[in-house]
Amino acid sequence: MIQDVRVSPDAKQLFRAVAEDSLALALQAVAERGRFSVALAGGSTPAALYALWASDYRQRMPWDRTFVFFGDERYVPADDPASNYRMARESLLDYVPIPPAQIFPMRTDYTNPDDAARGYEQTLRGFFGSQSRALDLVLLGLGPEGHTASLFPDSPALQERERWVVAPVVPAKPQQRLTLTLPILNQARTAFFVVAGAAKREIVRAIRNEPDSAAHGGTSQYPAGRIRPVSGQVVWYLDQAASGS
Ligand code: 6PG
């Protein structure tokens, strides 16, 4: 079940809609709390959004007050072509004036990935300090079988209720991941799903057609359907190809 859906005619207008709404969110967060925290999505879809942020929105976003986290990471070196950090750096972070101390990649240079997950949780806890543990914006993509971040269907990571970051092995390449978990994702003030292309049409339809009870009970069979911030909003940004409309 998906409540708030915004459909754009094509991907270009989809990314502009997301850029406009994230700008409004960022300015509101800075006005209310003096800073804007965002967890970036990985994969390929968001690169065009990040490029838009780095160009048309370069002068408009409050980059000096922005704190960048990641929703998930592939457990590869930071300069590996599969790295979400590398994708974000090459499309956004190298082009906007965010103070380096305000960019928090998920480190992938620990011998044990679980140590990396625990380290990232400490990074998040240090950022929040005594303030509310709510990221202002979590950007999320959608996999063809309903995964989001690196939370895949039937994964034990979906049952995690305490830890904010875990290191699952997933049925996609690269298999070793780091991912935020539902306890921290569902504390977000706002979650934006950004989904484009006809390849996502079936999974979008499946999630949209889930009975209300499944979504409300948090028992959606799809990890993306379990993103339900306790006091935040979820907005699904789709292009027409993904929405099937
Ligand atoms: C990742 C992402 C993942 C992604 C979906 C969609 O690390 O791969 O975080 O959740 O958002 O797999 O990926 P595409 O945008 O490439 O379709």
Side-chain angles (χ1 to χ4, degrees):
M1 204 277 297
I2 299 177
Q3 275 170 327
D4 191 343
V5 183
R6 299 179 193 178
V7 180
S8 300
D10 56 38
K12 188 169 183 312
Q13 294 179 73
L14 162 71
F15 295 125
R16 185 155 298 276
V18 178
E20 275 301 316
D21 291 355
S22 44
L23 171 61
L25 263 178
L27 295 175
Q28 180 188 6
V30 169
E32 290 176 3
R33 292 178 293 279
R35 64 187 188 182
F36 168 57
S37 57
V38 55
L40 298 182
S44 56
T45 302
L49 167 64
Y50 302 161
L52 192 58
W53 271 350
S55 52
D56 296 11
Y57 290 76
R58 188 179 188 287
Q59 304 300 335
R60 302 175 64 191
M61 285 284 279
W63 299 119
D64 61 327
R65 302 290 191 86
T66 297
F67 291 73
V68 174
F69 298 90
F70 288 78
D72 72 320
E73 187 54 278
R74 291 82 177 277
Y75 209 74
V76 295
D79 60 356
D80 188 291
S83 164
N84 286 335
Y85 169 69
R86 174 172 162 174
M87 181 273 286
R89 186 173 54 72
E90 292 179 341
S91 56
L92 173 66
L93 303 176
D94 283 353
Y95 303 100
V96 293
I98 301 172
Q102 295 174 200
I103 299 174
F104 302 92
M106 288 181 158
R107 282 181 52 185
T108 58
D109 55 353
Y110 286 78
T111 304
N112 179 350
D114 192 59
D115 292 340
R118 292 181 189 281
Y120 204 69
E121 177 162 341
Q122 291 314 308
T123 296
L124 281 165
R125 289 182 182 278
F127 170 73
F128 290 129
S130 58
Q131 300 191 38
S132 102
R133 298 159 166 186
L135 290 164
D136 293 310
L137 175 60
V138 173
L139 286 178
L140 293 165
L142 178 67
E145 78 302 283
H147 84 259
T148 194
S150 281
L151 297 170
F152 281 71
D154 306 321
S155 164
L158 288 170
Q159 309 312 321
E160 179 60 49
R161 292 289 175 268
E162 301 300 325
R163 293 180 60 181
W164 293 357
V165 191
V166 293
V169 173
V170 305
K173 296 271 185 259
Q175 286 196 288
Q176 182 64 67
R177 303 287 181 96
L178 299 175
T179 187
L180 299 189
T181 58
L182 295 177
I184 189 66
L185 289 169
N186 284 336
Q187 289 294 324
R189 290 190 175 87
T190 303
F192 284 176
F193 278 96
V194 183
V195 186
K200 304 293 174 70
R201 182 175 305 178
E202 280 317 305
I203 186 62
V204 167
R205 179 179 295 135
I207 297 174
R208 284 180 100 163
N209 292 342
E210 268 196 318
D212 204 357
S213 55
H216 276 304
T219 57
S220 167
Q221 63 177 302
Y222 308 106
R226 299 198 185 182
I227 300 296
R228 307 195 60 75
V230 286
S231 55
Q233 64 167 147
V234 182
V235 185
W236 285 73
Y237 293 86
L238 309 173
D239 64 359
Q240 230 147 31
S243 78
S245 60

